[in-house]
Amino acid sequence: MPKAYDTRALRTADYDRPVPREVTSDLSMLERLVPPAGKDLVDIGCGGGALVRALAGRGARVVGVEISAAQLAPALASDGDSGAQYRIGSAQALPLADASVDVAVFMRTLHHVPPAELTGALAEARRVLRPGGAVYVAEPLAEGDYFSLTSLVEDERAVRAAAQAALAGAGAAGLKRQTTIDYDVRLRVAGVDAYRARLVSVDPDRTEIFDARRDEIAAAFTRLGEPGEEPGERVFLQPMRADVLRPAE
């Protein structure tokens, strides 16, 4: 006779097994959820402008916003002739007119807004949306090897939790969550110096902390993640969460 199986036990085991997240890129997820072609977008906290240039190359009209001239300088220096605009401003006071964009993007930047001002930042993004527009937020989750490594420089558990709480309470900003998707991004980091440059570009105040703990960080860098294709390279899976928010009726 064929061997009998306890199918109930098999089903229970299947339910207990973690469902792997899709591995993709931040840009691919954004393109899927809020296709940029032909739209006016603002990238809030644009950093070096990589996302601005990528979206402009996909047919969007993009404005990149950064907090100061110093923070905006790398984007301006790297832009070439993308056709994008760049302005100085903050998430809490966007240098844009009411109802002037189709999509407001926070790409890994919402958690950098002071917790007490998160709802105000989301409300400001709501202010600049046209009817039918969307606020797109991609936030790193506080888990995984890359988070453990970053925590040696700055423990962001509280600010990331505050960002997620603000998104959950987006109604206070006149928004509602339409779509939420968790995914993973493969981060390839060439070495400790490249990792330092990545962290410091986001927040120059991290420089002193990084340099003071460099040996400890270097040891963790070689221990966490996986070996990359190039000598000294490490590859990390960064858990992410993407949200699309629409104006509340």
Side-chain angles (χ1 to χ4, degrees):
M1 293 180 62
K3 184 176 180 179
Y5 290 94
D6 185 345
T7 56
R8 182 177 57 185
L10 289 173
R11 286 197 298 270
T12 300
D14 287 342
Y15 291 147
D16 290 341
R17 186 180 299 118
V19 177
R21 285 183 283 244
E22 176 185 0
V23 179
T24 185
S25 69
D26 290 321
L27 180 58
S28 294
M29 185 60 69
L30 186 155
E31 286 187 285
R32 182 193 309 177
L33 298 181
V34 286
K39 295 177 181 175
D40 292 303
L41 288 85
V42 57
D43 181 9
I44 303 168
C46 67
L51 181 62
V52 171
R53 296 188 296 275
L55 293 173
R58 285 158 174 77
R61 297 174 294 275
V62 193
V63 177
V65 174
E66 257 301 345
I67 193 69
S68 69
Q71 290 289 91
L72 197 55
L76 292 171
S78 302
D79 187 74
D81 58 355
S82 75
Q85 300 179 43
Y86 295 92
R87 300 179 188 175
I88 297 171
S90 69
Q92 304 92 309
L94 292 172
L96 298 170
D98 294 355
S100 57
V101 302
D102 301 300
V103 184
V105 178
F106 291 90
M107 180 59 76
R108 300 171 177 255
T109 56
L110 185 63
H111 67 280
H112 292 294
V113 175
E117 300 174 29
L118 283 164
T119 298
L122 291 173
E124 183 68 351
R126 167 68 181 86
R127 176 186 69 80
V128 303
L129 286 186
R130 292 178 180 137
V135 177
Y136 182 86
V137 182
E139 275 289 297
L141 300 177
E143 56 188 78
D145 280 357
Y146 192 75
F147 175 73
S148 297
L149 184 63
T150 303
S151 294
L152 295 175
V153 180
E154 183 175 358
D155 187 344
E156 292 188 334
R157 278 174 291 190
V159 294
R160 294 190 189 186
Q164 292 300 322
L167 291 167
L175 295 164
K176 59 182 178 183
R177 259 176 161 167
Q178 180 189 62
T179 304
T180 300
I181 296 180
D182 288 355
Y183 62 103
D184 284 337
V185 170
R186 285 178 64 84
L187 297 178
R188 297 178 59 185
V189 187
V192 175
D193 288 339
Y195 177 62
R196 179 185 184 278
R198 184 186 184 98
L199 288 188
V200 170
S201 69
V202 175
D203 183 355
D205 290 340
R206 293 171 168 175
T207 304
E208 185 176 351
I209 299 171
F210 190 104
D211 291 345
R213 305 187 69 178
R214 185 181 179 92
D215 290 346
E216 181 182 1
I217 293 167
F221 183 85
T222 59
R223 183 179 73 250
L224 299 171
E226 299 176 353
E229 296 177 0
E230 302 297 327
E233 182 182 68
R234 303 296 291 179
V235 179
F236 302 88
L237 278 184
Q238 169 68 70
M240 296 289 298
R241 176 168 295 157
D243 279 289
V244 178
L245 301 101
R246 301 282 183 179
E249 299 296 336

